[in-house]
Amino acid sequence: MRETLRAALTIYAKDVRLELRTRETLFSVLAFAFVVAFIFTFAFEPSPQLIASIGPGIVWVAWIFTAVLGMNRTFLLEHERGTLDGLRLAPVPREALYLGKLLSVVTLLVAVEALMLPAFLVLYDLSLFNVWFIAVALAATVGIAAVGTLFSAIAVHTRAREVLLPMLFLPVALPVLIGAVSGAREALDGEGWGGVGGWLQLIIAFDVVFLVLSSLVFEYVLEE
Amino acid sequence: MTGAWRLGLLLVAGVLVLIDMYLIFGYAPTERSMGNVQRLFYFHVPVILTSWLAFALAAASSVWYLVKRERVCDRLAYASAEVGVVFFTVAIITGAVWAKPVWGTWWVWDANGTLTFVLWLIFIGYLMVRAYAPDAERGRRWSAVTAIIGAATVPFVYMAADWWGGLHPERVTGPGAQGSLEREMLLTLLFSFVTFIVLFAFLIAERYALRSDEEAVEELRLAAA
């Protein structure tokens, strides 16, 4: 267990270092998220009443598209430079690789989401600085990353990578999206645990099941 | 299953379908409030339950494949997925055609409808993984993973969509039913179930056999190359 964790952290540290040196993924993904959020302002002509009802939906559609884009790159470098073969040969448990990559994905998504908060404030006058909203968003991000990391390891090897990842990932992640949007709406309506709690529990249950299951089946994805 | 068996199954399925058509259009009474459109229900309910069965079969054989690595399980999973996509499509279309005159809308995102739609998408994803995988062996493994992950999401989709709200007719028969159907209607529905299960079994057997042939041809081609 400790060895798994250490190996996972090593892989995570490698990803963070790489990203800090190149700053490639974060900024390209963030730019995309801004464009999506910006486009929505013209699609809906946001008025305060409209934002109250569709605001959480806009936020999550922007985030989930961004997540798909970002997760498509999860294993891209490994795939292109043959790092995956090296990692496969490394004498560490397979779960470590999954866990390390999962941490990288969660970090990337949380960073993008956090940097998007001011954009939503400016574009839609939508203040998302709410404890319950953030709790739901964090839990949902873990669920998204749990499923997305697994499927991106499959999609990266295929010809239709850009299509395959959303095709596999979005239907499976639907409960998280429903929970995230509904929980966000409750939170922004000023509800506390009473309104948000049920959704939060659903998302956390999803996180636990898919973290365990994905790390178990990851070995079948990687195997050569 | 040999060719003779499959031919026998086809004959049985053919006869059952004919009798079923008579029961649905001739024997079952016309429903009072919905009229003739209610007859779609004898297609919709059995087809949807059969497509859920197809998904369960695909998921179970996928687990079995990853554990045992027997091609038998993989062919079964593949056949279920392909036949399942067809059944899901029919279920979705009949459901929409029925819902439009009765509920005034083509589609309602209640728990059953959402689950059906999601499973349909997952099956399509399953077939896409196969089609795009760099080689057949990885295609088998990855699609098995897809089916297993898809199966795990079922209770979550159901609960999330249920809380999210929607309407669907109450169950009309079996445990937990509110009212009860006319005897003729119930008989027709049950007969329809049997018919579609047999039809499904035939299609699976046929697709399975075809799959074996496809794999044999592929191996010959590789050996010749």
Side-chain angles (χ1 to χ4, degrees):
Chain A
M1 189 65 211
R2 257 186 65 189
E3 198 180 329
T4 309
L5 213 59
R6 218 182 37 162
L9 287 176
T10 309
I11 291 166
Y12 174 59
K14 176 216 50 139
D15 277 358
V16 172
R17 200 176 311 131
L18 205 63
E19 182 57 33
L20 284 178
R21 284 188 189 157
T22 61
R23 296 200 186 84
E24 228 173 45
T25 308
L26 179 64
F27 284 108
S28 56
V29 169
L30 188 64
F32 175 78
F34 273 119
V35 171
V36 172
F38 160 73
I39 289 295
F40 273 136
T41 56
F42 294 97
F44 295 117
E45 286 190 52
S47 65
Q49 299 91 322
L50 192 61
I51 288 305
S53 71
I54 65 171
I58 292 180
V59 171
W60 274 103
V61 169
W63 282 355
I64 204 111
F65 282 171
T66 311
V68 169
L69 191 75
M71 290 188 303
N72 241 324
R73 308 179 58 116
T74 313
F75 287 96
L76 200 57
L77 279 180
E78 274 84 355
H79 179 62
E80 280 174 353
R81 315 246 167 106
T83 317
L84 221 46
D85 297 320
L87 288 171
R88 220 182 261 127
L89 289 172
V92 293
R94 293 280 184 255
E95 299 89 74
L97 186 49
Y98 172 75
L99 222 57
K101 277 296 171 185
L102 177 80
L103 285 175
S104 315
V105 172
V106 170
T107 309
L108 174 71
L109 297 185
V110 168
V112 172
E113 287 168 8
L115 291 170
M116 285 296 289
L117 292 181
F120 288 120
L121 184 65
V122 172
L123 289 172
Y124 300 101
D125 197 13
L126 187 62
S127 176
L128 302 172
F129 300 94
N130 171 311
V131 178
W132 290 108
F133 176 85
I134 290 170
V136 168
L138 286 177
T141 304
V142 172
I144 287 169
V147 179
T149 306
L150 179 73
F151 281 142
S152 69
I154 290 179
V156 73
H157 294 281
T158 63
R159 276 170 286 139
R161 170 187 319 142
E162 292 81 8
V163 183
L164 197 57
L165 178 63
M167 196 58 215
L168 294 175
F169 157 73
L170 289 176
V172 173
L174 180 73
V176 172
L177 195 61
I178 293 177
V181 172
S182 307
R185 185 167 297 131
E186 298 280 347
L188 297 180
D189 280 349
E191 294 278 337
W193 176 256
V196 184
W199 294 112
L200 199 55
Q201 282 172 331
L202 178 81
I203 298 172
I204 290 173
F206 183 97
D207 292 357
V208 172
V209 167
F210 280 87
L211 281 177
V212 173
L213 191 64
S214 302
S215 54
L216 284 177
V217 295
F218 192 66
E219 125 182 39
Y220 297 111
V221 172
L222 227 55
E223 185 184 296
E224 192 69 346
Chain B
M1 217 181 257
T2 61
W5 266 99
R6 276 182 281 128
L7 192 63
L9 204 53
L10 173 64
L11 285 175
V12 174
V15 171
L16 285 176
V17 166
L18 286 177
I19 301 175
D20 197 33
M21 291 304 121
Y22 168 72
L23 288 178
I24 292 173
F25 293 105
Y27 173 72
T30 307
E31 213 266 348
R32 204 177 305 142
S33 59
M34 295 181 232
N36 272 326
V37 73
Q38 182 266 342
R39 292 182 201 275
L40 264 178
F41 167 88
Y42 303 116
F43 294 94
H44 177 69
V45 177
V47 168
I48 216 149
L49 289 177
T50 315
S51 36
W52 287 348
L53 180 74
F55 195 88
L57 196 60
S61 10
S62 294
V63 175
W64 190 19
Y65 174 73
L66 285 186
V67 176
K68 292 274 184 199
R69 299 300 163 100
E70 299 204 19
R71 296 284 279 273
V72 185
C73 331
D74 173 68
R75 277 180 222 136
L76 195 58
Y78 185 78
S80 318
E82 236 180 50
V83 178
V85 167
V86 176
F87 271 65
F88 271 122
T89 310
V90 172
I92 287 169
I93 292 172
T94 52
V97 171
W98 180 85
K100 183 65 184 167
V102 176
W103 288 340
T105 170
W106 293 106
W107 191 261
V108 171
W109 291 110
D110 71 330
N112 289 328
T114 311
L115 183 62
T116 301
F117 204 80
V118 166
L119 292 182
W120 184 60
L121 290 177
I122 290 174
F123 259 168
I124 293 173
Y126 177 99
L127 295 177
M128 281 171 75
V129 169
R130 293 233 173 201
Y132 292 129
D135 54 66
E137 201 275 325
R138 277 189 272 188
R140 288 196 287 274
R141 245 190 299 128
W142 291 348
S143 58
V145 168
T146 308
I148 292 169
I149 294 288
T153 201
V154 167
F156 293 103
V157 172
Y158 198 86
M159 267 171 65
D162 199 30
W163 287 354
W164 195 72
L167 68 153
H168 210 89
E170 295 276 330
R171 295 181 57 187
V172 285
T173 180
Q178 290 296 325
S180 70
L181 281 176
E182 293 271 339
R183 213 175 57 87
E184 288 88 354
M185 289 182 169
L186 186 63
L187 190 72
T188 309
L189 182 62
L190 292 179
F191 195 86
S192 231
F193 270 123
V194 176
T195 304
F196 278 101
I197 297 275
V198 173
L199 186 64
F200 175 73
F202 164 71
L203 289 172
I204 293 278
E206 194 62 32
R207 190 63 189 92
Y208 181 95
L210 188 59
R211 184 76 192 159
S212 310
D213 292 349
E214 280 170 8
E215 282 173 4
V217 170
E218 184 63 19
E219 264 155 36
L220 279 177
R221 205 178 57 83
L222 284 179

